[in-house]
């Protein structure tokens, strides 16, 4: 229990210390007019207050990732706590803050456009592919997982197909309507369900007879899978997630003032880290490795969520907790498709003011996503994890380039960027299902060599950008609106 309480305390303290340092390095300008005002269009660029933006950001980024990922990461034992805490503070929250704030400085640009601006035209196309692949996978995963949770909650009394169809209908509506019409109105209520359910699980766990394990770096995975790199691609949301880089620009288009950025972007990633800690601790406390693996194999991590909630909170409280777990993926799935629509529209220069043009992009996406729901979930999750952390690495390189060109402390993003790049490359070389199936030593060596090459290429590009005086902030008029 001491490890768990200390981890929560460290996450909270980091918001007021390291988060403030990251904000100082970036250099906020409260009198700079954000795109919510300069690009206002009544659809995607709509000013909303800080609390609403923060809650939407939390619900956007916290899909089933900070629940399912930590539950599957719990198979490795308490070493998972280290990645959740250190990853959230030094990687995930930095990643989210920089992508959100750099987007604000560049008219609400999404990650492919930022990649093209800072890393080159080839990077723009590469990131566009990764981002769209990730968003489609996220949207699909966040259809199947809440549908599975609801199906289990009601004991299969409603056909799974019907639940999936209902979620798709909601996603279509929320994707094409103005952001303040659906998302801005229903999220406060959904957020209340999420917070009540998750906090209840955490409090019940602390006062239960179950013992939360203390910190250990021993690998306890029942199948003896290596911690490095697989743990870091299993626990993505809740530590570091490239999906967040696709979501932060949505809120960069609705943020009223740059001074709100630390609370909205860095702070909500810390909140997600707390959610991840609660579910990882619950999974480790209620199950041993074999039991947890068996339940996951039987019906994905949704069965674990149901079992934990009902065991700790009983029928009524457990139902609320499961509904909170349902809220997370639904409120990330809708914005995943919305972000995909925006990215495609920006990439093809298609104006999104008219409904017909929004539908022309959205409908084909949903057709592809529906087809993806027929694929085995565990395979889908592996593809999601790889695309997710690959996007995170690219986003951290973008943030590093921004700081490097401005001659600021770029190490705050360079170090986690190099680390996760090595993780992704080692994983794709090692994994036999997705990648090349090399031996572990060969994959590890290959990952380090390729990461070194990428790092050298980055600095070559960085010094070139400095010589050419690359403009990293789009010019925006000042204004005197209060934060």
């Amino acid at each position: 229990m001491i490890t768990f309480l200390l981890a929560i305390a460290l996450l909270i303290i980091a918001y007021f210390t390291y988060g403030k340092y990251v904000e100082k390095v970036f250099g906020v300008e409260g009198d700079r007019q954000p795109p919510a005002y300069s690009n206002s269009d009544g659809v995607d660029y709509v000013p909303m207050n800080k609390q609403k933006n923060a809650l939407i950001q939390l619900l956007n980024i916290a899909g089933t990732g900070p629940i399912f990922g930590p539950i599957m990461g719990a198979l490795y034992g308490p070493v998972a706590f280290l990645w959740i805490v250190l990853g959230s503070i030094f990687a995930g929250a930095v990643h989210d803050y920089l992508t959100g704030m750099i987007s604000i400085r560049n008219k609400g640009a999404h990650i492919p456009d930022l990649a093209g601006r800072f890393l080159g035209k080839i990077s723009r196309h590469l990131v566009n592919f990764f981002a769209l692949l990730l968003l489609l996978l996220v949207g699909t995963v966040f259809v199947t997982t809440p549908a599975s949770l609801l199906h289990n909650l009601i004991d299969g009394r409603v056909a799974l197909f019907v639940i999936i169809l209902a979620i798709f209908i909601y996603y279509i509506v929320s994707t094409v309507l103005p952001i303040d019409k659906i998302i801005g109105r229903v999220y406060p209520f959904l957020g209340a369900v999420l917070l009540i359910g998750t906090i209840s699980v955490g409090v019940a766990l602390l006062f239960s007879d179950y013992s939360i394990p203390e910190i250990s770096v021993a690998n306890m995975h029942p199948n003896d899978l290596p911690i490095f790199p697989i743990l870091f691609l299993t626990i993505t949301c809740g530590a570091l997630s490239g999906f967040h880089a696709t979501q932060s620009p949505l809120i960069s288009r609705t943020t009223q003032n740059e001074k709100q950025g630390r609370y909205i972007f860095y702070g909500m990633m810390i909140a997600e880290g707390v959610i991840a800690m609660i579910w990882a601790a619950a999974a480790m406390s209620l199950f041993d490795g074999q039991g947890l693996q068996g339940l996951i194999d039987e019906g994905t991590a949704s069965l674990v969520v149901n079992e934990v909630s009902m065991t700790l909170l009983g029928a009524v409280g457990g139902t609320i907790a499961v509904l909170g777990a349902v809220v997370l993926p639904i409120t990330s799935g809708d914005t995943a498709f919305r972000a995909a629509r925006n990215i495609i529209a920006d990439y093809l220069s298609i104006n999104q003011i008219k409904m017909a043009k929004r539908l022309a992009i959205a409908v084909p996406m949903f057709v592809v996503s529906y087809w993806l729901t027929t694929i085995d979930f565990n395979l889908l999750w592996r593809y999601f994890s790889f695309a997710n952390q690959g996007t995170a690495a690219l986003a951290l390189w973008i943030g590093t380039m921004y700081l490097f060109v401005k001659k600021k402390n770029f190490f705050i993003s360079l170090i986690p960027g190099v680390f996760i790049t090595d993780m992704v490359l080692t994983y794709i070389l090692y994994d036999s299902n997705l990648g090349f199936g090399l031996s572990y030593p060969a994959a590890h060596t290959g990952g380090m060599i390729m990461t070194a090459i990428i790092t050298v290429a980055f600095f070559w590009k960085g010094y070139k950008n400095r010589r050419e005086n690359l403009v990293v902030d789009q010019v925006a008029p000042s204004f005197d609106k209060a934060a």
Side-chain angles (χ1 to χ4, degrees):
M1 184 180 294
I2 294 175
T3 297
F4 176 76
L5 294 176
L6 181 61
I8 299 297
L10 286 174
L11 286 167
I12 295 171
I13 291 170
Y15 169 74
F16 295 100
T17 54
Y18 195 66
K20 204 161 189 177
Y21 174 72
V22 171
E23 179 184 56
K24 182 179 179 181
V25 169
F26 181 83
V28 296
E29 298 177 13
D31 60 349
R32 179 186 287 267
Q33 189 178 58
Y37 294 102
S38 61
N39 289 42
S40 180
D41 65 359
V43 178
D44 297 310
Y45 294 85
V46 181
M48 294 192 291
N49 66 57
K50 182 174 77 171
Q51 294 297 339
K52 182 175 286 189
N53 276 327
L55 186 56
I56 293 174
Q57 174 72 359
L58 175 61
L59 292 174
N60 284 358
I61 65 175
T64 43
I67 298 179
F68 281 30
I71 286 173
M72 292 189 284
L75 291 168
Y76 292 88
V79 67
F81 292 155
L82 283 174
W83 173 230
I84 291 172
V85 174
L86 298 178
S88 293
I89 295 170
F90 297 107
V94 173
H95 167 282
D96 291 12
Y97 181 80
L98 289 178
T99 51
M101 295 302 293
I102 295 171
S103 178
I104 286 177
R105 289 282 179 90
N106 287 271
K107 300 180 180 180
H110 275 279
I111 185 171
D113 285 338
L114 294 177
R117 184 171 183 79
F118 298 120
L119 302 180
K121 292 182 180 179
I122 294 177
S123 296
R124 179 174 182 252
H125 301 305
L126 178 64
V127 174
N128 196 69
F129 169 77
F130 261 96
L132 287 176
L133 173 64
L134 173 60
L135 288 168
L136 278 175
L137 290 172
V138 165
T140 304
V141 168
F142 294 169
V143 169
T144 56
T145 50
S148 175
L149 286 165
L150 284 172
H151 189 66
N152 291 331
L153 184 63
I154 61 179
D155 295 323
R157 287 191 290 269
V158 177
L160 184 61
F161 167 77
V162 174
I163 299 174
I164 289 175
L165 182 62
I167 293 173
F168 264 122
I169 291 172
Y170 166 71
Y171 282 177
I172 292 171
V173 172
S174 62
T175 297
V176 299
L177 287 183
I179 194 168
D180 59 335
K181 301 304 181 186
I182 297 290
I183 293 173
R185 292 182 179 179
V186 304
Y187 271 33
F189 302 102
L190 298 178
V193 174
L194 161 66
L195 293 175
I196 291 171
T198 303
I199 292 172
S200 296
V201 168
V203 172
L205 182 62
L206 288 175
F207 291 96
S208 71
D209 294 329
Y210 295 98
S211 177
I212 303 175
E214 302 299 344
I215 192 64
S216 167
V217 295
N219 185 358
M220 299 181 182
H221 199 288
N223 296 331
D224 200 33
L225 293 179
I227 291 173
F228 183 101
I230 298 179
L231 173 64
F232 302 95
L233 279 91
T234 300
I235 303 178
T236 53
C237 302
L240 169 66
S241 170
F243 173 62
H244 300 186
T246 69
Q247 300 302 290
S248 294
L250 292 176
I251 303 305
S252 77
R253 300 181 178 195
T254 61
T255 300
Q256 295 173 317
N257 193 289
E258 285 191 6
K259 291 182 179 179
Q260 299 171 354
R262 179 166 64 96
Y263 182 78
I264 294 171
F265 301 117
Y266 195 98
M268 293 309 102
M269 179 60 227
I270 293 298
E272 186 181 277
V274 173
I275 294 171
M277 278 297 305
I278 290 172
W279 284 102
M284 291 182 207
S285 302
L286 271 67
F287 306 97
D288 59 24
Q290 292 292 344
L292 182 59
Q293 182 71 72
L295 207 56
I296 291 172
D297 290 342
E298 182 182 344
T300 76
S302 60
L303 287 182
V304 181
V305 172
N306 193 71
E307 186 72 19
V308 167
S309 301
M310 297 303 172
T311 300
L312 291 176
L313 301 174
V316 176
T319 299
I320 294 174
V322 173
L323 287 175
V326 170
V327 162
L328 281 175
I330 289 179
T331 54
S332 292
D334 56 5
T335 51
F337 286 116
R338 188 179 192 91
R341 173 179 64 78
N342 283 339
I343 288 174
I344 293 171
D346 290 350
Y347 191 74
L348 300 177
S349 299
I350 300 175
N351 189 287
Q352 293 292 279
I353 294 178
K354 291 185 178 180
M355 175 69 75
K357 291 186 177 181
R358 282 176 255 159
L359 286 170
I361 296 175
V363 171
M365 286 195 310
F366 285 106
V367 171
V368 173
S369 180
Y370 178 76
W371 172 76
L372 288 172
T373 61
T374 63
I375 296 176
D376 175 67
F377 175 81
N378 291 322
L379 179 62
L380 204 62
W381 187 270
R382 285 199 295 269
Y383 277 105
F384 158 69
S385 296
F386 169 71
N388 195 30
Q389 297 304 67
T391 304
L394 289 164
L396 283 166
W397 285 114
I398 291 170
T400 305
M401 183 64 76
Y402 178 91
L403 296 176
F404 183 83
V405 171
K406 298 196 79 170
K407 298 182 180 179
K408 297 190 174 185
N409 181 11
F410 58 88
F411 287 100
I412 62 172
S413 52
L414 174 67
I415 293 172
V418 168
F419 178 78
I420 201 62
T421 298
D422 186 31
M423 294 301 104
V424 171
L425 293 173
T426 302
Y427 178 77
I428 200 65
L429 292 173
Y430 173 75
D431 188 85
S432 59
N433 293 304
L434 286 181
F436 296 92
L438 300 182
S439 67
Y440 183 72
H444 192 32
T445 302
M448 288 191 294
I449 293 172
M450 293 169 69
T451 300
I453 293 171
I454 290 172
T455 304
V456 170
F458 167 84
F459 280 106
W460 177 85
K461 177 67 174 176
Y463 282 110
K464 180 181 178 183
N465 285 342
R466 276 187 181 179
R467 288 194 303 270
E468 295 176 353
N469 295 316
L470 177 70
V471 178
V472 295
D473 292 329
Q474 295 288 320
V475 177
S478 297
F479 74 150
D480 57 0
K481 292 184 180 291

